[in-house]
Amino acid sequence: MFRVYLYLVVFQFLFALNFDFTQNVPQVIINNEEINNGFLGGLNYAITRWVDWDNDNDSDLFLLDEDGHIRFYENISSGSDVSFKIVDANFLGINNITWFYIGDFDNDNDFDIVTEYPQNPSYISYYTNNDGEFINLNLLQNENGSYVLGQQGAIPTFCDIDNDNDLDFFAVNLIGTVSFYENIGLSDNKPIFNFITSDWEDISIVGQLRHGANAINFIDLDNDQDFELVWGDYYQPSLYVIWNLGNQNSPDMDNINFSTYFPEDDPINTVGRNMPSFTDIDLDGDQDLFITVLGGTGGIQLMDNFYFYENIGNQEESNYDFITDNFLNSIDYLSDVSPTLVDIDSDGDLDLFIGQKFTTDSSPFNGRIKFFLNIGSSQNPIFNLYDEEFLGADLGTDLCPHFGDIDMDGDVDLVIGTYSGNVKIFENIGNKYDFEFSYHSTIETDSNFWFSVPGLHDIDSDGDLDLVLGNIYGDLRVYTQENSFSFSLDVNQIQDISVGYYSAPYFIDIDLDDDNDLILGGRDTHKVFLNNNNFFEETNEIEISYSGKNVKFSGGNLFKSNEFNIISGISTGGLYFLSETLCDLGDLNKDQIINISDILTLINIVFDLDTSNSYYMCSGDLDNNSGLNILDITNLVIKILDR
């Protein structure tokens, strides 16, 4: 056998990784139908803003929901086929806000942003757009330097109500009135708002059936060049419209004879907290209506919360026709989903399982495990919904599945965490190519242990997988495996690691040093810990750009052998995909130069059949087939010659 012996100096893998949201989202098929935005999930407490962000003459979408991050969706419509793709799930890195607005506040023909101030929701942050770079100019003020105040729990808006080419500020009050702040110009490139009144136009929507506005918007509904006020009440099922009897320079709002059910021909009927927004989505010259429902009754999330009403009227009169309550055409699994990636059928690509918190079609509200079989490849995943009730409908609530070879027989077994804290164990009685799961046992935790999220890792270094459980308290509980499927509680936690509340552990070799590190999701934050002989040390060198609420992670190589993908389960019932390149293809000796020495290294690895080193697998798999072979050597030679 031909071999070339080469002595290498192995350098320490020094790195800084930043997992960012990727546009490379897998295709989703359900009942033979491709779903455009399959894994984006549902919406809860959603706020929408429409702007032509990329200046291509259509409306792009910015959306905020209960996770507190602004999402950016690009309009990629073609003809009558209206379609959107998500570009950024954490726009500008702004976190922990409940409202925002996008508009040109400094009259320089680009979009600026105002948001709730995260540290104090009563104040308002302002971000100016400087040639695409957003600069936080801090808090909005009046001409005397006092801060402009919003109403906590209500969503304000901006409108050039007096036709003087600037945006005035309107803050709705929970008592059913509107506060008006006039825009008097710029100071240091920041708009100045003077308080005028807390009782603008004598609007007072209070009483037995009216509870004050939650969200308002201005729009010219009757096409007379002035603005009507569209009002979403806290608890009323429809929208109100307060008509403007004045003109574009001087409003006169009819605060007595306003409409209480809108749209008039087919009024929306929800539990309340409706937020209206308008844009010409079909480019036919009129304003279409969108409504997001800001939550559900008693805090229960609703499915399909994005209503679209097409304006089928004309330039003289608006007329709205209901089209859909799931405008983005996404799969809504309601809340706090738990994803896990595993090659369940050993065909070289990753399949997907999603655990649900609950579903509304059962009583009591049990969750489900959704099984998506990857019918694509390791380079082009296509997730086809194979089983909507994997292992049945009576597994409990807050289901968190996780796979690992517990009995070390060459196939993966399954553990499922539940709301009760107990963990159900299922043995794979099939094989790695033809799986079949049979219930084995349940690990019963104590009465103070809730919301168990399992991870599998050899924590005691004895060669088998132990069970590491996240829980409501944010720490980790360890059950060591004594023998096949027999676990006992270890009184010692893992170094007192914690994320505050709702910890969700995931073990994966993220730094390619052939041991499993720890990504720990939580309710309000997440942390990454590197493994050093089973001592886990928190690192700031690995950043995962999306956090959200009650996050649960999984990961693997979905698209490229040298790119690691992290899936983040989100609180509104969907998934976000993040990615980072872990190695330079072809640089096997880590010297940042691809040359003959890398070829020699790869030859030795291939002919010795040594594929155990994670970094070699990452950098040497040039044909992206999850293995190392002669074709990789050929591709590396071609790569060098091309250079």
Side-chain angles (χ1 to χ4, degrees), residues 60-137:
D60 304 301
L61 171 64
F62 289 81
L63 187 149
L64 171 75
D65 69 5
E66 67 178 354
D67 271 354
H69 302 268
I70 301 173
R71 313 179 195 174
F72 169 39
Y73 298 83
E74 182 185 0
N75 191 330
I76 57 172
S77 302
S78 177
S80 60
D81 181 20
V82 178
S83 182
F84 289 80
K85 70 175 181 181
I86 188 166
V87 176
D88 194 344
N90 189 20
F91 185 71
L92 298 184
I94 300 172
N95 302 317
N96 301 316
I97 60 173
T98 61
W99 68 267
F100 73 107
Y101 190 92
I102 299 178
D104 185 7
F105 287 90
D106 50 11
N107 293 315
D108 62 351
N109 297 315
D110 58 24
F111 293 111
D112 312 296
I113 298 176
V114 294
T115 75
E116 174 187 77
Y117 182 52
Q119 285 71 38
N120 188 333
S122 297
Y123 299 119
I124 301 171
S125 290
Y126 175 67
Y127 299 81
T128 185
N129 186 342
N130 184 13
D131 294 328
E133 179 184 359
F134 286 87
I135 302 170
N136 188 353
L137 297 183

Coordinates of all heavy atoms in Angstrom, one line a residue, residues 60-137:
D60 N -41.5 45.1 2.0 CA -40.8 44.1 2.8 C -41.5 44.1 4.2 O -42.1 45.1 4.6 CB -39.3 44.3 2.9 CG -38.7 44.3 1.5 OD1 -38.8 43.3 0.8 OD2 -38.1 45.4 1.1
L61 N -41.2 43.1 5.0 CA -41.9 43.0 6.3 C -40.9 42.9 7.4 O -40.0 42.1 7.4 CB -42.8 41.7 6.3 CG -43.4 41.3 7.6 CD1 -44.4 42.3 8.1 CD2 -44.1 39.9 7.5
F62 N -41.2 43.7 8.4 CA -40.5 43.7 9.7 C -41.5 43.3 10.8 O -42.6 43.9 10.9 CB -39.8 45.0 10.1 CG -38.6 45.3 9.2 CD1 -38.8 45.8 7.9 CD2 -37.3 45.0 9.6 CE1 -37.7 46.1 7.1 CE2 -36.2 45.3 8.8 CZ -36.4 45.8 7.6
L63 N -41.1 42.3 11.6 CA -42.1 41.7 12.5 C -41.4 41.5 13.9 O -40.3 41.0 13.9 CB -42.6 40.4 11.9 CG -43.8 39.7 12.6 CD1 -44.6 39.0 11.6 CD2 -43.2 38.7 13.6
L64 N -42.2 41.8 14.9 CA -41.7 41.6 16.3 C -42.8 40.7 17.0 O -44.0 41.0 16.9 CB -41.5 42.9 17.0 CG -41.3 42.9 18.5 CD1 -39.9 42.4 18.8 CD2 -41.5 44.3 19.1
D65 N -42.3 39.7 17.7 CA -43.3 38.9 18.5 C -42.8 38.8 19.9 O -41.9 39.5 20.4 CB -43.7 37.6 17.9 CG -42.6 36.6 17.8 OD1 -41.5 36.8 18.4 OD2 -42.7 35.5 17.2
E66 N -43.3 37.8 20.7 CA -43.0 37.7 22.1 C -41.5 37.4 22.4 O -41.1 37.6 23.6 CB -43.9 36.7 22.8 CG -43.6 35.3 22.3 CD -44.5 34.3 23.1 OE1 -45.2 34.7 24.0 OE2 -44.5 33.1 22.7
D67 N -40.8 37.0 21.4 CA -39.4 36.7 21.7 C -38.6 38.0 21.9 O -37.4 38.0 22.3 CB -38.8 35.9 20.6 CG -38.9 34.4 20.8 OD1 -39.3 34.0 21.9 OD2 -38.5 33.6 19.9
G68 N -39.1 39.1 21.5 CA -38.5 40.4 21.7 C -37.4 40.8 20.7 O -36.6 41.7 20.9
H69 N -37.3 40.0 19.5 CA -36.4 40.3 18.4 C -37.2 40.8 17.2 O -38.3 40.3 17.0 CB -35.6 39.1 18.1 CG -34.8 38.5 19.2 ND1 -33.5 38.8 19.4 CD2 -35.1 37.6 20.1 CE1 -33.1 38.1 20.5 NE2 -34.0 37.4 20.9
I70 N -36.6 41.7 16.4 CA -37.2 42.1 15.2 C -36.8 41.1 14.1 O -35.6 40.9 13.9 CB -36.8 43.5 14.8 CG1 -37.3 44.5 16.0 CG2 -37.4 44.0 13.5 CD1 -36.8 45.9 15.8
R71 N -37.7 40.6 13.3 CA -37.4 39.7 12.2 C -37.6 40.5 10.9 O -38.5 41.3 10.8 CB -38.3 38.5 12.1 CG -38.5 37.8 13.5 CD -39.5 36.6 13.2 NE -40.0 36.1 14.5 CZ -40.9 35.1 14.5 NH1 -41.5 34.6 13.4 NH2 -41.3 34.7 15.7
F72 N -36.7 40.3 10.0 CA -36.8 40.9 8.7 C -37.1 39.9 7.6 O -36.3 38.9 7.4 CB -35.5 41.7 8.3 CG -35.4 42.1 6.9 CD1 -36.4 42.7 6.2 CD2 -34.1 42.1 6.3 CE1 -36.3 43.1 4.9 CE2 -34.0 42.5 5.0 CZ -35.1 43.0 4.3
Y73 N -38.2 40.1 6.9 CA -38.6 39.2 5.8 C -38.5 40.0 4.5 O -39.2 41.0 4.3 CB -40.1 38.7 6.0 CG -40.3 37.9 7.2 CD1 -40.6 38.5 8.4 CD2 -40.4 36.5 7.1 CE1 -40.8 37.7 9.5 CE2 -40.6 35.7 8.2 CZ -40.9 36.3 9.4 OH -41.1 35.6 10.6
E74 N -37.8 39.5 3.5 CA -37.7 40.1 2.2 C -38.8 39.6 1.3 O -39.2 38.4 1.3 CB -36.4 39.8 1.6 CG -36.2 40.4 0.2 CD -34.9 40.0 -0.5 OE1 -34.2 39.1 0.1 OE2 -34.7 40.4 -1.7
N75 N -39.5 40.6 0.6 CA -40.5 40.3 -0.3 C -39.9 39.7 -1.6 O -39.1 40.4 -2.3 CB -41.3 41.5 -0.6 CG -42.6 41.2 -1.4 OD1 -42.6 40.3 -2.2 ND2 -43.6 42.1 -1.2
I76 N -40.1 38.5 -1.9 CA -39.5 37.8 -3.1 C -40.7 37.4 -4.1 O -40.5 36.5 -4.8 CB -38.7 36.6 -2.7 CG1 -39.5 35.6 -1.9 CG2 -37.4 37.1 -2.0 CD1 -38.7 34.3 -1.7
S77 N -41.7 38.2 -4.0 CA -42.9 37.9 -4.9 C -42.6 37.9 -6.4 O -41.7 38.7 -6.8 CB -44.0 38.8 -4.6 OG -44.4 38.8 -3.2
S78 N -43.3 37.1 -7.1 CA -43.1 37.1 -8.5 C -44.5 37.1 -9.1 O -45.3 36.1 -9.0 CB -42.3 35.9 -9.0 OG -42.3 35.8 -10.4
G79 N -44.9 38.2 -9.8 CA -46.2 38.3 -10.4 C -47.3 38.3 -9.3 O -47.2 39.0 -8.3
S80 N -48.3 37.4 -9.4 CA -49.3 37.4 -8.4 C -49.0 36.4 -7.3 O -49.8 36.3 -6.3 CB -50.6 36.9 -9.1 OG -50.4 35.6 -9.7
D81 N -47.9 35.8 -7.4 CA -47.4 34.8 -6.3 C -46.7 35.6 -5.2 O -45.5 35.9 -5.4 CB -46.5 33.7 -6.9 CG -46.1 32.7 -5.8 OD1 -46.7 32.7 -4.8 OD2 -45.1 32.0 -6.1
V82 N -47.4 36.0 -4.1 CA -46.8 36.7 -3.0 C -46.1 35.8 -2.1 O -46.6 34.8 -1.6 CB -47.9 37.5 -2.3 CG1 -47.3 38.3 -1.1 CG2 -48.7 38.5 -3.2
S83 N -44.8 36.1 -1.9 CA -43.9 35.2 -1.1 C -42.9 36.0 -0.4 O -42.4 37.0 -0.9 CB -43.3 34.1 -2.0 OG -42.5 33.2 -1.3
F84 N -42.5 35.5 0.8 CA -41.5 36.1 1.6 C -40.5 35.1 2.1 O -40.8 33.9 2.2 CB -42.1 36.8 2.8 CG -42.9 38.0 2.5 CD1 -44.2 37.9 2.0 CD2 -42.4 39.3 2.7 CE1 -44.9 39.0 1.7 CE2 -43.1 40.4 2.4 CZ -44.4 40.3 1.9
K85 N -39.2 35.6 2.3 CA -38.2 34.7 2.9 C -37.6 35.5 4.1 O -37.4 36.7 4.0 CB -37.1 34.3 1.9 CG -36.2 35.4 1.4 CD -35.1 34.9 0.6 CE -34.1 36.0 0.1 NZ -33.0 35.5 -0.7
I86 N -37.3 34.8 5.1 CA -36.7 35.5 6.3 C -35.2 35.7 6.0 O -34.5 34.8 5.6 CB -37.0 34.7 7.6 CG1 -36.5 35.5 8.8 CG2 -36.4 33.3 7.5 CD1 -37.0 34.9 10.1
V87 N -34.8 36.9 6.3 CA -33.4 37.3 6.1 C -32.6 37.4 7.4 O -31.5 37.0 7.5 CB -33.3 38.6 5.3 CG1 -31.8 39.0 5.1 CG2 -33.9 38.4 3.9
D88 N -33.3 37.9 8.4 CA -32.6 38.2 9.7 C -33.6 38.0 10.8 O -34.7 38.6 10.8 CB -32.0 39.6 9.7 CG -31.0 39.8 10.8 OD1 -31.0 39.0 11.8 OD2 -30.3 40.8 10.8
A89 N -33.3 37.1 11.7 CA -34.2 36.9 12.8 C -33.9 37.7 14.1 O -34.5 37.6 15.1 CB -34.2 35.4 13.2
N90 N -32.8 38.5 14.0 CA -32.4 39.3 15.1 C -31.9 40.6 14.6 O -30.7 41.0 14.7 CB -31.3 38.5 15.9 CG -30.9 39.2 17.2 OD1 -31.7 40.0 17.7 ND2 -29.7 38.9 17.7
F91 N -32.7 41.4 13.9 CA -32.4 42.6 13.2 C -31.8 43.6 14.2 O -32.3 44.0 15.2 CB -33.6 43.2 12.5 CG -33.4 44.4 11.7 CD1 -32.7 44.2 10.5 CD2 -33.8 45.6 12.1 CE1 -32.5 45.3 9.7 CE2 -33.5 46.7 11.3 CZ -32.9 46.6 10.1
L92 N -30.5 44.0 13.8 CA -29.7 45.0 14.6 C -29.4 44.5 16.0 O -28.8 45.3 16.7 CB -30.4 46.4 14.6 CG -30.7 47.1 13.3 CD1 -31.3 48.4 13.6 CD2 -29.4 47.2 12.5
G93 N -29.7 43.3 16.3 CA -29.4 42.8 17.6 C -30.2 43.4 18.7 O -29.8 43.4 19.9
I94 N -31.3 44.1 18.4 CA -32.2 44.7 19.4 C -33.0 43.7 20.1 O -33.7 42.9 19.4 CB -33.1 45.8 18.7 CG1 -32.2 46.8 18.0 CG2 -34.0 46.4 19.7 CD1 -33.1 47.8 17.1
N95 N -32.9 43.6 21.4 CA -33.6 42.6 22.2 C -34.5 43.2 23.2 O -34.4 44.3 23.6 CB -32.5 41.7 22.9 CG -31.6 41.1 21.9 OD1 -31.9 40.6 20.9 ND2 -30.3 41.1 22.3
N96 N -35.4 42.3 23.7 CA -36.3 42.6 24.8 C -37.1 43.8 24.7 O -37.2 44.7 25.6 CB -35.4 42.7 26.1 CG -34.6 41.4 26.4 OD1 -35.2 40.3 26.3 ND2 -33.4 41.5 26.8
I97 N -37.7 44.0 23.5 CA -38.6 45.1 23.3 C -40.0 44.6 23.0 O -40.2 43.4 22.6 CB -38.1 46.0 22.1 CG1 -38.0 45.2 20.8 CG2 -36.8 46.6 22.5 CD1 -37.7 46.1 19.6
T98 N -41.0 45.4 23.1 CA -42.4 45.0 22.8 C -43.0 45.8 21.7 O -44.1 45.5 21.2 CB -43.3 45.2 24.1 OG1 -43.3 46.6 24.5 CG2 -42.8 44.3 25.2
W99 N -42.3 46.9 21.1 CA -42.8 47.6 20.0 C -41.7 48.3 19.3 O -40.6 48.5 19.9 CB -43.9 48.6 20.4 CG -43.5 49.8 21.2 CD1 -43.5 49.9 22.5 CD2 -42.9 51.0 20.7 NE1 -43.0 51.1 22.9 CE2 -42.6 51.8 21.8 CE3 -42.6 51.5 19.4 CZ2 -42.1 53.1 21.7 CZ3 -42.1 52.8 19.3 CH2 -41.9 53.6 20.4
F100 N -41.9 48.6 18.0 CA -40.9 49.4 17.2 C -41.6 50.1 16.1 O -42.8 49.8 15.8 CB -39.8 48.5 16.7 CG -40.3 47.6 15.5 CD1 -39.9 47.8 14.2 CD2 -41.1 46.5 15.8 CE1 -40.3 47.0 13.2 CE2 -41.5 45.7 14.8 CZ -41.1 45.9 13.5
Y101 N -41.0 51.0 15.4 CA -41.5 51.7 14.3 C -40.4 52.1 13.3 O -39.3 52.4 13.8 CB -42.3 53.0 14.7 CG -43.1 53.6 13.6 CD1 -44.4 53.3 13.4 CD2 -42.5 54.5 12.7 CE1 -45.2 53.8 12.4 CE2 -43.2 55.1 11.7 CZ -44.6 54.7 11.5 OH -45.3 55.3 10.5
I102 N -40.6 51.9 12.0 CA -39.6 52.3 11.0 C -40.2 53.4 10.2 O -41.3 53.3 9.6 CB -39.3 51.0 10.1 CG1 -38.7 49.9 11.0 CG2 -38.4 51.4 9.0 CD1 -38.4 48.6 10.2
G103 N -39.4 54.5 10.0 CA -39.8 55.6 9.2 C -38.6 56.5 8.9 O -37.6 56.4 9.6
D104 N -38.8 57.5 8.0 CA -37.7 58.5 7.8 C -38.0 59.7 8.7 O -38.7 60.6 8.3 CB -37.8 58.9 6.3 CG -36.7 59.8 5.9 OD1 -35.8 60.0 6.7 OD2 -36.7 60.3 4.7
F105 N -37.3 59.7 9.8 CA -37.5 60.7 10.8 C -36.6 62.0 10.5 O -36.9 63.0 11.0 CB -37.2 60.2 12.2 CG -38.3 59.3 12.7 CD1 -38.2 57.9 12.5 CD2 -39.4 59.8 13.4 CE1 -39.2 57.1 12.9 CE2 -40.4 58.9 13.8 CZ -40.3 57.6 13.6
D106 N -35.5 61.8 9.8 CA -34.6 62.9 9.6 C -34.7 63.4 8.1 O -33.8 64.2 7.7 CB -33.2 62.6 10.0 CG -32.7 61.3 9.4 OD1 -33.4 60.7 8.5 OD2 -31.6 60.8 9.8
N107 N -35.7 62.9 7.4 CA -35.9 63.4 6.0 C -34.7 63.3 5.1 O -34.4 64.2 4.3 CB -36.4 64.8 6.0 CG -37.8 64.9 6.6 OD1 -38.7 64.2 6.3 ND2 -38.0 65.9 7.5
D108 N -34.0 62.2 5.2 CA -32.8 62.0 4.3 C -33.0 60.8 3.3 O -32.1 60.3 2.8 CB -31.5 61.8 5.1 CG -31.6 60.6 6.0 OD1 -32.7 59.9 6.1 OD2 -30.5 60.2 6.6
N109 N -34.3 60.4 3.2 CA -34.7 59.4 2.2 C -34.2 58.0 2.5 O -33.9 57.2 1.6 CB -34.3 59.8 0.8 CG -34.9 61.1 0.3 OD1 -36.1 61.2 0.5 ND2 -34.2 62.0 -0.2
D110 N -34.0 57.7 3.8 CA -33.8 56.4 4.2 C -34.5 56.1 5.5 O -35.2 57.0 6.1 CB -32.3 56.0 4.4 CG -31.6 56.9 5.4 OD1 -32.2 57.5 6.3 OD2 -30.3 57.1 5.3
F111 N -34.5 54.9 6.0 CA -35.4 54.5 7.1 C -34.6 54.5 8.4 O -33.5 53.9 8.5 CB -35.9 53.1 6.9 CG -36.9 53.0 5.8 CD1 -36.6 52.3 4.6 CD2 -38.1 53.6 5.8 CE1 -37.5 52.2 3.5 CE2 -39.0 53.6 4.8 CZ -38.7 52.9 3.6
D112 N -35.1 55.2 9.4 CA -34.7 55.2 10.8 C -35.6 54.3 11.6 O -36.7 53.9 11.2 CB -34.6 56.6 11.3 CG -33.9 57.5 10.4 OD1 -32.7 57.4 10.1 OD2 -34.6 58.5 9.8
I113 N -35.2 54.0 12.8 CA -35.9 53.1 13.7 C -36.1 53.7 15.1 O -35.1 54.2 15.6 CB -35.2 51.7 13.8 CG1 -35.2 51.1 12.4 CG2 -36.0 50.8 14.7 CD1 -34.4 49.8 12.3
V114 N -37.3 53.6 15.6 CA -37.5 53.9 17.0 C -38.1 52.6 17.7 O -38.8 51.9 17.1 CB -38.5 55.1 17.2 CG1 -37.9 56.4 16.7 CG2 -39.8 54.8 16.5
T115 N -37.7 52.4 18.9 CA -38.1 51.2 19.7 C -38.4 51.6 21.1 O -38.0 52.7 21.6 CB -37.0 50.1 19.6 OG1 -36.0 50.5 20.5 CG2 -36.5 49.9 18.2
E116 N -39.0 50.7 21.8 CA -39.1 50.8 23.2 C -37.7 50.7 23.8 O -36.9 49.9 23.3 CB -40.0 49.6 23.7 CG -40.0 49.4 25.2 CD -40.8 48.2 25.6 OE1 -40.2 47.1 25.5 OE2 -41.9 48.3 26.0
Y117 N -37.4 51.4 24.8 CA -36.1 51.4 25.5 C -36.1 50.1 26.4 O -36.9 50.0 27.3 CB -35.9 52.6 26.3 CG -34.5 52.7 27.0 CD1 -33.4 52.5 26.3 CD2 -34.5 53.0 28.4 CE1 -32.1 52.6 27.0 CE2 -33.3 53.1 29.0 CZ -32.1 52.8 28.3 OH -30.9 52.9 29.0
P118 N -35.2 49.1 26.1 CA -35.3 47.9 26.8 C -35.2 48.0 28.3 O -35.8 47.3 29.1 CB -34.2 47.0 26.2 CG -33.9 47.7 24.9 CD -34.2 49.1 25.0
Q119 N -34.3 48.9 28.8 CA -34.1 49.1 30.2 C -35.2 49.8 31.0 O -35.3 49.6 32.2 CB -32.8 49.8 30.4 CG -31.5 49.0 30.2 CD -31.3 48.7 28.7 OE1 -31.5 49.6 27.8 NE2 -30.8 47.6 28.4
N120 N -36.0 50.5 30.2 CA -37.2 51.2 30.8 C -38.2 51.4 29.8 O -38.1 52.3 28.9 CB -36.8 52.5 31.5 CG -37.9 53.1 32.3 OD1 -39.1 52.9 32.0 ND2 -37.6 53.9 33.3
P121 N -39.3 50.6 29.7 CA -40.3 50.6 28.6 C -41.0 51.9 28.5 O -41.7 52.2 27.5 CB -41.2 49.5 29.0 CG -40.5 48.6 29.9 CD -39.6 49.5 30.7
S122 N -40.9 52.8 29.5 CA -41.6 54.1 29.3 C -40.8 55.1 28.4 O -41.5 56.0 27.9 CB -41.7 54.8 30.7 OG -42.5 54.0 31.6
Y123 N -39.6 54.8 28.2 CA -38.8 55.7 27.3 C -38.7 55.1 25.9 O -39.0 53.9 25.6 CB -37.4 55.9 27.9 CG -37.4 56.6 29.2 CD1 -36.9 55.9 30.4 CD2 -37.9 57.8 29.4 CE1 -36.9 56.5 31.6 CE2 -38.0 58.4 30.7 CZ -37.4 57.8 31.8 OH -37.5 58.4 33.0
I124 N -38.2 55.9 24.9 CA -38.1 55.5 23.5 C -36.7 55.7 23.0 O -36.2 56.8 23.1 CB -39.1 56.4 22.7 CG1 -40.6 56.2 23.3 CG2 -39.1 56.0 21.3 CD1 -41.6 57.1 22.7
S125 N -36.2 54.7 22.4 CA -34.8 54.7 21.8 C -35.0 55.1 20.3 O -35.9 54.8 19.6 CB -34.1 53.4 21.8 OG -33.8 53.0 23.2
Y126 N -33.9 55.8 19.8 CA -33.9 56.3 18.4 C -32.6 55.8 17.8 O -31.5 56.1 18.3 CB -34.1 57.8 18.3 CG -33.9 58.4 16.9 CD1 -34.9 58.1 16.0 CD2 -32.9 59.2 16.6 CE1 -34.8 58.6 14.7 CE2 -32.7 59.7 15.3 CZ -33.7 59.4 14.3 OH -33.6 59.9 13.1
Y127 N -32.7 55.2 16.6 CA -31.6 54.8 15.8 C -31.6 55.5 14.4 O -32.6 55.3 13.7 CB -31.7 53.2 15.6 CG -31.6 52.4 16.8 CD1 -32.7 52.2 17.6 CD2 -30.4 51.8 17.2 CE1 -32.7 51.4 18.7 CE2 -30.4 51.0 18.4 CZ -31.5 50.8 19.1 OH -31.5 50.1 20.3
T128 N -30.6 56.3 14.2 CA -30.6 56.9 12.9 C -29.8 56.1 11.9 O -28.8 55.4 12.2 CB -29.9 58.3 13.0 OG1 -30.0 59.0 11.7 CG2 -28.4 58.2 13.4
N129 N -30.2 56.2 10.6 CA -29.6 55.4 9.5 C -28.5 56.3 8.9 O -28.9 57.3 8.2 CB -30.7 55.0 8.6 CG -30.1 54.0 7.5 OD1 -29.0 53.9 7.2 ND2 -31.1 53.4 6.8
N130 N -27.3 55.9 9.0 CA -26.2 56.6 8.4 C -25.5 55.7 7.3 O -24.6 54.9 7.6 CB -25.2 57.0 9.4 CG -24.0 57.9 8.9 OD1 -24.1 58.4 7.8 ND2 -23.0 58.0 9.6
D131 N -26.1 55.9 6.1 CA -25.6 55.1 5.0 C -25.6 53.6 5.3 O -24.6 52.8 5.0 CB -24.2 55.5 4.5 CG -24.1 56.9 4.0 OD1 -25.1 57.3 3.3 OD2 -23.1 57.6 4.2
G132 N -26.7 53.1 5.9 CA -26.8 51.7 6.2 C -26.3 51.3 7.5 O -26.6 50.1 7.9
E133 N -25.6 52.2 8.2 CA -25.2 51.9 9.6 C -26.1 52.6 10.6 O -26.3 53.8 10.5 CB -23.7 52.3 9.8 CG -23.2 52.1 11.2 CD -21.8 52.6 11.4 OE1 -21.2 53.2 10.4 OE2 -21.3 52.5 12.5
F134 N -26.6 51.8 11.5 CA -27.6 52.4 12.4 C -26.8 52.8 13.7 O -26.1 52.0 14.3 CB -28.7 51.4 12.7 CG -29.7 51.2 11.6 CD1 -29.4 50.3 10.6 CD2 -30.8 52.0 11.6 CE1 -30.3 50.2 9.5 CE2 -31.7 51.9 10.5 CZ -31.5 51.0 9.5
I135 N -27.1 54.0 14.1 CA -26.4 54.6 15.2 C -27.5 55.0 16.3 O -28.4 55.7 16.0 CB -25.6 55.9 14.9 CG1 -24.6 55.5 13.8 CG2 -24.9 56.5 16.1 CD1 -23.9 56.7 13.2
N136 N -27.3 54.5 17.5 CA -28.2 54.7 18.5 C -28.0 56.1 19.1 O -26.9 56.4 19.7 CB -28.1 53.7 19.6 CG -29.2 53.8 20.7 OD1 -30.0 54.7 20.7 ND2 -29.3 52.8 21.6
L137 N -28.9 57.1 18.9 CA -28.8 58.4 19.4 C -29.5 58.6 20.7 O -29.8 59.7 21.1 CB -29.3 59.4 18.4 CG -28.5 59.5 17.0 CD1 -29.1 60.6 16.2 CD2 -27.0 59.7 17.3

